[in-house]
């Protein structure tokens, strides 16, 4: 029995699929190999087939594509400032924090306050 690798990066699994596909291994066998190494939660057989089709159609990139949407402005320094403000006054509301840090969404502020 092989050693199981837990929590692989998506691009790692896709790279393995691309490799086995280049060696003309059938999708069902690729899926069995993935299950052996990465465990039951790796990827469904249907998703393996989808990736094989995309690689056969010429896709070479195994990394996630950039997505549209609001870019994250939250960094470690900003989180530290929020946490410091919360420690100064534990009675701050999310609205008060939002007034102080308008660049951070209320949802993220709520999460930060829960973990402060």
């Amino acid at each position: 029995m092989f050693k199981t690798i837990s929590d692989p990066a998506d691009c790692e699994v896709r790279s393995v699929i691309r490799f086995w596909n280049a060696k003309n291994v059938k999708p069902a066998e690729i899926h069995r190999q993935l299950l052996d190494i990465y465990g039951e939660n790796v990827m469904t057989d249907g998703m393996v087939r989808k990736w094989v089709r995309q690689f056969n159609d010429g896709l070479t990139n195994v990394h996630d594509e950039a997505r549209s949407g609001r870019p994250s402005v939250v960094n470690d320094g900003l989180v530290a400032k929020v946490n410091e403000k919360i420690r100064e006054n534990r009675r701050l509301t999310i609205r008060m924090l939002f007034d102080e840090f308008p660049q951070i969404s209320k949802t993220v502020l709520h999460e930060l306050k829960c973990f402060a």
Side-chain angles (χ1 to χ4, degrees), residues 61-91:
N61 187 7
V62 295
H63 298 284
D64 290 327
E65 305 240 341
R67 296 180 179 162
S68 63
R70 184 177 180 181
S72 178
V73 296
V74 180
N75 56 37
D76 292 338
L78 198 51
V79 170
K81 288 179 184 177
V82 172
N83 285 335
E84 182 180 326
K85 193 61 97 170
I86 292 169
R87 276 192 235 88
E88 288 174 6
N89 181 2
R90 298 292 279 171
R91 293 182 178 266

mmCIF file of all heavy atoms in Angstrom, residues 61-91:
data_model
loop_
_atom_site.group_PDB
_atom_site.id
_atom_site.type_symbol
_atom_site.label_atom_id
_atom_site.label_comp_id
_atom_site.label_asym_id
_atom_site.label_seq_id
_atom_site.Cartn_x
_atom_site.Cartn_y
_atom_site.Cartn_z
ATOM 1 N N ASN A 61 -2.269 24.696 -18.943
ATOM 2 C CA ASN A 61 -2.157 25.318 -17.636
ATOM 3 C C ASN A 61 -2.894 24.480 -16.588
ATOM 4 O O ASN A 61 -4.072 24.182 -16.741
ATOM 5 C CB ASN A 61 -2.745 26.735 -17.675
ATOM 6 C CG ASN A 61 -2.512 27.501 -16.399
ATOM 7 O OD1 ASN A 61 -1.800 27.054 -15.502
ATOM 8 N ND2 ASN A 61 -3.114 28.671 -16.309
ATOM 9 N N VAL A 62 -2.196 24.117 -15.514
ATOM 10 C CA VAL A 62 -2.818 23.330 -14.452
ATOM 11 C C VAL A 62 -3.206 24.206 -13.266
ATOM 12 O O VAL A 62 -3.785 23.721 -12.301
ATOM 13 C CB VAL A 62 -1.888 22.190 -13.969
ATOM 14 C CG1 VAL A 62 -1.654 21.190 -15.083
ATOM 15 C CG2 VAL A 62 -0.589 22.737 -13.418
ATOM 16 N N HIS A 63 -2.902 25.491 -13.341
ATOM 17 C CA HIS A 63 -3.189 26.403 -12.238
ATOM 18 C C HIS A 63 -4.562 27.040 -12.409
ATOM 19 O O HIS A 63 -5.084 27.139 -13.519
ATOM 20 C CB HIS A 63 -2.117 27.490 -12.145
ATOM 21 C CG HIS A 63 -0.768 26.931 -11.872
ATOM 22 N ND1 HIS A 63 -0.383 26.481 -10.630
ATOM 23 C CD2 HIS A 63 0.291 26.702 -12.678
ATOM 24 C CE1 HIS A 63 0.840 26.023 -10.682
ATOM 25 N NE2 HIS A 63 1.277 26.139 -11.923
ATOM 26 N N ASP A 64 -5.146 27.496 -11.297
ATOM 27 C CA ASP A 64 -6.440 28.162 -11.336
ATOM 28 C C ASP A 64 -6.326 29.451 -12.125
ATOM 29 O O ASP A 64 -5.340 30.186 -12.003
ATOM 30 C CB ASP A 64 -6.933 28.479 -9.921
ATOM 31 C CG ASP A 64 -7.332 27.241 -9.150
ATOM 32 O OD1 ASP A 64 -7.832 26.296 -9.778
ATOM 33 O OD2 ASP A 64 -7.141 27.218 -7.924
ATOM 34 N N GLU A 65 -7.333 29.718 -12.906
ATOM 35 C CA GLU A 65 -7.369 30.956 -13.673
ATOM 36 C C GLU A 65 -7.767 32.105 -12.754
ATOM 37 O O GLU A 65 -8.482 31.904 -11.769
ATOM 38 C CB GLU A 65 -8.392 30.829 -14.803
ATOM 39 C CG GLU A 65 -8.140 29.633 -15.694
ATOM 40 C CD GLU A 65 -7.911 30.030 -17.120
ATOM 41 O OE1 GLU A 65 -8.281 31.150 -17.488
ATOM 42 O OE2 GLU A 65 -7.365 29.201 -17.858
ATOM 43 N N ALA A 66 -7.309 33.286 -13.086
ATOM 44 C CA ALA A 66 -7.691 34.460 -12.315
ATOM 45 C C ALA A 66 -9.192 34.660 -12.452
ATOM 46 O O ALA A 66 -9.762 34.483 -13.526
ATOM 47 C CB ALA A 66 -6.949 35.685 -12.819
ATOM 48 N N ARG A 67 -9.819 35.013 -11.355
ATOM 49 C CA ARG A 67 -11.265 35.212 -11.364
ATOM 50 C C ARG A 67 -11.580 36.684 -11.236
ATOM 51 O O ARG A 67 -10.847 37.442 -10.611
ATOM 52 C CB ARG A 67 -11.908 34.455 -10.211
ATOM 53 C CG ARG A 67 -11.737 32.963 -10.352
ATOM 54 C CD ARG A 67 -12.375 32.253 -9.200
ATOM 55 N NE ARG A 67 -12.213 30.819 -9.364
ATOM 56 C CZ ARG A 67 -12.356 29.949 -8.397
ATOM 57 N NH1 ARG A 67 -12.661 30.352 -7.190
ATOM 58 N NH2 ARG A 67 -12.201 28.673 -8.625
ATOM 59 N N SER A 68 -12.701 37.058 -11.816
ATOM 60 C CA SER A 68 -13.120 38.440 -11.672
ATOM 61 C C SER A 68 -13.694 38.626 -10.275
ATOM 62 O O SER A 68 -14.059 37.679 -9.599
ATOM 63 C CB SER A 68 -14.175 38.781 -12.719
ATOM 64 O OG SER A 68 -15.317 37.995 -12.506
ATOM 65 N N GLY A 69 -13.756 39.833 -9.851
ATOM 66 C CA GLY A 69 -14.297 40.118 -8.540
ATOM 67 C C GLY A 69 -13.433 41.119 -7.815
ATOM 68 O O GLY A 69 -12.410 41.585 -8.312
ATOM 69 N N ARG A 70 -13.854 41.421 -6.653
ATOM 70 C CA ARG A 70 -13.162 42.416 -5.855
ATOM 71 C C ARG A 70 -11.858 41.826 -5.321
ATOM 72 O O ARG A 70 -11.866 40.799 -4.638
ATOM 73 C CB ARG A 70 -14.073 42.811 -4.709
ATOM 74 C CG ARG A 70 -13.542 43.904 -3.846
ATOM 75 C CD ARG A 70 -14.574 44.248 -2.802
ATOM 76 N NE ARG A 70 -14.104 45.303 -1.949
ATOM 77 C CZ ARG A 70 -14.777 45.783 -0.942
ATOM 78 N NH1 ARG A 70 -15.962 45.292 -0.660
ATOM 79 N NH2 ARG A 70 -14.289 46.745 -0.209
ATOM 80 N N PRO A 71 -10.732 42.481 -5.604
ATOM 81 C CA PRO A 71 -9.473 41.969 -5.074
ATOM 82 C C PRO A 71 -9.402 42.186 -3.568
ATOM 83 O O PRO A 71 -9.972 43.136 -3.027
ATOM 84 C CB PRO A 71 -8.411 42.793 -5.801
ATOM 85 C CG PRO A 71 -9.108 44.027 -6.237
ATOM 86 C CD PRO A 71 -10.553 43.655 -6.438
ATOM 87 N N SER A 72 -8.721 41.310 -2.905
ATOM 88 C CA SER A 72 -8.611 41.403 -1.453
ATOM 89 C C SER A 72 -7.662 42.530 -1.069
ATOM 90 O O SER A 72 -6.562 42.649 -1.600
ATOM 91 C CB SER A 72 -8.095 40.082 -0.886
ATOM 92 O OG SER A 72 -7.946 40.197 0.500
ATOM 93 N N VAL A 73 -8.098 43.360 -0.134
ATOM 94 C CA VAL A 73 -7.248 44.437 0.368
ATOM 95 C C VAL A 73 -6.782 44.122 1.784
ATOM 96 O O VAL A 73 -6.049 44.887 2.386
ATOM 97 C CB VAL A 73 -7.975 45.800 0.364
ATOM 98 C CG1 VAL A 73 -8.324 46.220 -1.040
ATOM 99 C CG2 VAL A 73 -9.207 45.768 1.240
ATOM 100 N N VAL A 74 -7.232 42.998 2.300
ATOM 101 C CA VAL A 74 -6.908 42.640 3.673
ATOM 102 C C VAL A 74 -5.535 41.979 3.702
ATOM 103 O O VAL A 74 -5.293 40.999 3.014
ATOM 104 C CB VAL A 74 -7.975 41.682 4.257
ATOM 105 C CG1 VAL A 74 -7.640 41.309 5.679
ATOM 106 C CG2 VAL A 74 -9.351 42.316 4.190
ATOM 107 N N ASN A 75 -4.642 42.565 4.480
ATOM 108 C CA ASN A 75 -3.319 41.980 4.650
ATOM 109 C C ASN A 75 -3.031 41.853 6.142
ATOM 110 O O ASN A 75 -3.835 42.277 6.983
ATOM 111 C CB ASN A 75 -2.245 42.816 3.937
ATOM 112 C CG ASN A 75 -2.235 44.262 4.405
ATOM 113 O OD1 ASN A 75 -2.451 44.552 5.582
ATOM 114 N ND2 ASN A 75 -1.983 45.181 3.488
ATOM 115 N N ASP A 76 -1.903 41.274 6.489
ATOM 116 C CA ASP A 76 -1.584 41.031 7.896
ATOM 117 C C ASP A 76 -1.524 42.320 8.714
ATOM 118 O O ASP A 76 -1.962 42.357 9.859
ATOM 119 C CB ASP A 76 -0.260 40.275 8.016
ATOM 120 C CG ASP A 76 -0.361 38.854 7.497
ATOM 121 O OD1 ASP A 76 -1.495 38.336 7.438
ATOM 122 O OD2 ASP A 76 0.678 38.269 7.149
ATOM 123 N N GLY A 77 -1.007 43.382 8.110
ATOM 124 C CA GLY A 77 -0.916 44.651 8.825
ATOM 125 C C GLY A 77 -2.287 45.217 9.155
ATOM 126 O O GLY A 77 -2.519 45.725 10.263
ATOM 127 N N LEU A 78 -3.192 45.127 8.203
ATOM 128 C CA LEU A 78 -4.550 45.634 8.409
ATOM 129 C C LEU A 78 -5.286 44.791 9.447
ATOM 130 O O LEU A 78 -5.988 45.335 10.310
ATOM 131 C CB LEU A 78 -5.305 45.632 7.082
ATOM 132 C CG LEU A 78 -6.552 46.485 6.974
ATOM 133 C CD1 LEU A 78 -6.304 47.918 7.428
ATOM 134 C CD2 LEU A 78 -7.048 46.485 5.546
ATOM 135 N N VAL A 79 -5.101 43.491 9.412
ATOM 136 C CA VAL A 79 -5.713 42.606 10.408
ATOM 137 C C VAL A 79 -5.190 42.948 11.794
ATOM 138 O O VAL A 79 -5.952 43.007 12.769
ATOM 139 C CB VAL A 79 -5.447 41.123 10.069
ATOM 140 C CG1 VAL A 79 -5.855 40.214 11.218
ATOM 141 C CG2 VAL A 79 -6.184 40.734 8.800
ATOM 142 N N ALA A 80 -3.903 43.226 11.902
ATOM 143 C CA ALA A 80 -3.314 43.590 13.195
ATOM 144 C C ALA A 80 -3.924 44.888 13.720
ATOM 145 O O ALA A 80 -4.207 45.006 14.914
ATOM 146 C CB ALA A 80 -1.798 43.726 13.064
ATOM 147 N N LYS A 81 -4.158 45.860 12.832
ATOM 148 C CA LYS A 81 -4.774 47.125 13.250
ATOM 149 C C LYS A 81 -6.200 46.901 13.746
ATOM 150 O O LYS A 81 -6.615 47.486 14.753
ATOM 151 C CB LYS A 81 -4.774 48.125 12.089
ATOM 152 C CG LYS A 81 -3.407 48.688 11.769
ATOM 153 C CD LYS A 81 -3.487 49.643 10.602
ATOM 154 C CE LYS A 81 -2.107 50.137 10.205
ATOM 155 N NZ LYS A 81 -2.134 51.002 9.027
ATOM 156 N N VAL A 82 -6.952 46.069 13.037
ATOM 157 C CA VAL A 82 -8.329 45.768 13.459
ATOM 158 C C VAL A 82 -8.311 45.078 14.816
ATOM 159 O O VAL A 82 -9.064 45.442 15.726
ATOM 160 C CB VAL A 82 -9.058 44.901 12.407
ATOM 161 C CG1 VAL A 82 -10.399 44.420 12.935
ATOM 162 C CG2 VAL A 82 -9.249 45.681 11.113
ATOM 163 N N ASN A 83 -7.456 44.080 14.973
ATOM 164 C CA ASN A 83 -7.365 43.364 16.249
ATOM 165 C C ASN A 83 -6.968 44.287 17.390
ATOM 166 O O ASN A 83 -7.486 44.174 18.507
ATOM 167 C CB ASN A 83 -6.385 42.191 16.145
ATOM 168 C CG ASN A 83 -6.956 41.036 15.373
ATOM 169 O OD1 ASN A 83 -8.171 40.864 15.297
ATOM 170 N ND2 ASN A 83 -6.095 40.239 14.777
ATOM 171 N N GLU A 84 -6.064 45.219 17.120
ATOM 172 C CA GLU A 84 -5.652 46.180 18.146
ATOM 173 C C GLU A 84 -6.830 47.064 18.556
ATOM 174 O O GLU A 84 -7.062 47.307 19.749
ATOM 175 C CB GLU A 84 -4.507 47.050 17.607
ATOM 176 C CG GLU A 84 -3.974 48.045 18.599
ATOM 177 C CD GLU A 84 -2.851 48.877 18.001
ATOM 178 O OE1 GLU A 84 -2.087 48.349 17.185
ATOM 179 O OE2 GLU A 84 -2.760 50.075 18.356
ATOM 180 N N LYS A 85 -7.598 47.515 17.575
ATOM 181 C CA LYS A 85 -8.766 48.354 17.841
ATOM 182 C C LYS A 85 -9.797 47.586 18.669
ATOM 183 O O LYS A 85 -10.385 48.127 19.607
ATOM 184 C CB LYS A 85 -9.367 48.803 16.509
ATOM 185 C CG LYS A 85 -10.373 49.889 16.613
ATOM 186 C CD LYS A 85 -9.818 51.144 17.190
ATOM 187 C CE LYS A 85 -9.414 52.142 16.181
ATOM 188 N NZ LYS A 85 -9.097 53.442 16.780
ATOM 189 N N ILE A 86 -9.982 46.303 18.363
ATOM 190 C CA ILE A 86 -10.939 45.477 19.109
ATOM 191 C C ILE A 86 -10.459 45.280 20.541
ATOM 192 O O ILE A 86 -11.255 45.328 21.489
ATOM 193 C CB ILE A 86 -11.150 44.126 18.396
ATOM 194 C CG1 ILE A 86 -11.880 44.351 17.065
ATOM 195 C CG2 ILE A 86 -11.937 43.157 19.276
ATOM 196 C CD1 ILE A 86 -11.915 43.128 16.165
ATOM 197 N N ARG A 87 -9.150 45.057 20.719
ATOM 198 C CA ARG A 87 -8.620 44.865 22.075
ATOM 199 C C ARG A 87 -8.760 46.138 22.911
ATOM 200 O O ARG A 87 -8.944 46.080 24.122
ATOM 201 C CB ARG A 87 -7.154 44.432 22.017
ATOM 202 C CG ARG A 87 -7.009 42.930 21.814
ATOM 203 C CD ARG A 87 -5.574 42.490 22.059
ATOM 204 N NE ARG A 87 -5.056 41.771 20.909
ATOM 205 C CZ ARG A 87 -4.454 42.290 19.837
ATOM 206 N NH1 ARG A 87 -4.236 43.541 19.733
ATOM 207 N NH2 ARG A 87 -4.038 41.559 18.856
ATOM 208 N N GLU A 88 -8.678 47.297 22.256
ATOM 209 C CA GLU A 88 -8.842 48.562 22.974
ATOM 210 C C GLU A 88 -10.265 48.719 23.495
ATOM 211 O O GLU A 88 -10.480 49.276 24.560
ATOM 212 C CB GLU A 88 -8.509 49.747 22.055
ATOM 213 C CG GLU A 88 -7.047 49.901 21.743
ATOM 214 C CD GLU A 88 -6.812 50.992 20.706
ATOM 215 O OE1 GLU A 88 -7.761 51.702 20.304
ATOM 216 O OE2 GLU A 88 -5.646 51.117 20.276
ATOM 217 N N ASN A 89 -11.240 48.264 22.701
ATOM 218 C CA ASN A 89 -12.644 48.415 23.086
ATOM 219 C C ASN A 89 -13.424 47.209 22.576
ATOM 220 O O ASN A 89 -13.818 47.151 21.418
ATOM 221 C CB ASN A 89 -13.220 49.706 22.492
ATOM 222 C CG ASN A 89 -14.665 49.918 22.875
ATOM 223 O OD1 ASN A 89 -15.264 49.140 23.615
ATOM 224 N ND2 ASN A 89 -15.254 50.994 22.355
ATOM 225 N N ARG A 90 -13.675 46.256 23.466
ATOM 226 C CA ARG A 90 -14.372 45.033 23.088
ATOM 227 C C ARG A 90 -15.847 45.276 22.744
ATOM 228 O O ARG A 90 -16.513 44.404 22.233
ATOM 229 C CB ARG A 90 -14.292 43.996 24.224
ATOM 230 C CG ARG A 90 -12.893 43.554 24.583
ATOM 231 C CD ARG A 90 -12.245 42.758 23.504
ATOM 232 N NE ARG A 90 -12.671 41.371 23.543
ATOM 233 C CZ ARG A 90 -12.376 40.494 22.605
ATOM 234 N NH1 ARG A 90 -11.662 40.853 21.574
ATOM 235 N NH2 ARG A 90 -12.788 39.259 22.686
ATOM 236 N N ARG A 91 -16.357 46.461 23.060
ATOM 237 C CA ARG A 91 -17.764 46.766 22.774
ATOM 238 C C ARG A 91 -17.979 47.385 21.391
ATOM 239 O O ARG A 91 -19.092 47.776 21.055
ATOM 240 C CB ARG A 91 -18.306 47.703 23.840
ATOM 241 C CG ARG A 91 -18.379 47.050 25.207
ATOM 242 C CD ARG A 91 -18.962 48.024 26.210
ATOM 243 N NE ARG A 91 -19.081 47.424 27.517
ATOM 244 C CZ ARG A 91 -20.170 46.835 27.967
ATOM 245 N NH1 ARG A 91 -21.238 46.757 27.209
ATOM 246 N NH2 ARG A 91 -20.198 46.329 29.172
#
